[in-house]
Amino acid sequence: MAIIALCACNSEKKELLYRGLPMALPFQTFIDSLQQRGYAVDSAKTDSAFTRVVMARTGDHYRLMLAQKDGQLQALQENYTLSTNDSTRRFWQQLRDDFEKELGSWPNMPKHGDDHKIAKFETDGGFITLTLENTYKPTLSVLYEKK
């Protein structure tokens, strides 16, 4: 009986978490949870159908963009606003190192140049992709996608 219970526990699909919040929650519940954490909906950048929602929190250097389908969160992206190429490079590396430690795995690196880097981590519940593009305006984003 213990072996069956152990197998059942090991076969459970782990869900993707966003900063400790399960992304499997219904979309409105997820939005409500973020609002309780101090995020506010940016109604000027959110579409009228509430399919794509943009949120921000005072003091954070990023905005959240959430996409839903049929009441379920499909993807969430943090878009950082940093001012220099050097600051985005350093922060990208810090985020990559933090995800390596947290997830205990190395990322797939489809791009690894100085000004354009992509690190894609696969978890049981989805994918986390860090993207750095230092061109005319430095951009850094972290995309969480459910499987």
Side-chain angles (χ1 to χ4, degrees), residues 44-62:
K45 292 188 174 24
T46 298
D47 65 14
S48 59
F50 228 58
T51 302
R52 187 189 70 170
V53 176
V54 176
M55 300 183 84
R57 180 170 64 180
T58 305
D60 284 349
H61 295 289
Y62 61 88

Side-chain angles (χ1 to χ4, degrees), residues 66-146:
L66 300 96
Q68 66 104 3
K69 183 177 179 183
D70 300 327
Q72 292 297 313
L73 180 64
Q74 297 299 307
L76 178 148
Q77 182 169 315
E78 296 175 337
N79 295 310
Y80 286 84
T81 54
L82 299 167
S83 58
T84 67
N85 287 347
D86 286 341
S87 64
T88 56
R89 281 186 197 110
R90 280 191 304 272
F91 194 55
W92 183 90
Q93 188 63 49
Q94 177 188 341
L95 287 171
R96 180 182 179 265
D97 293 346
D98 291 346
F99 278 118
E100 277 183 12
K101 288 177 189 168
E102 179 184 332
L103 300 172
S105 66
W106 291 80
N108 177 16
M109 298 283 297
K111 291 248 182 205
H112 194 356
D114 285 339
D115 292 324
H116 189 187
K117 300 178 186 191
I118 299 173
K120 190 167 191 171
F121 293 90
E122 183 173 2
T123 70
D124 290 339
F127 301 95
I128 301 171
T129 306
L130 283 77
T131 304
L132 169 70
E133 292 180 351
N134 279 336
T135 52
Y136 299 108
K137 181 181 177 187
T139 59
L140 176 65
S141 64
V142 181
L143 175 64
Y144 295 78
E145 297 173 283
K146 290 176 22 180

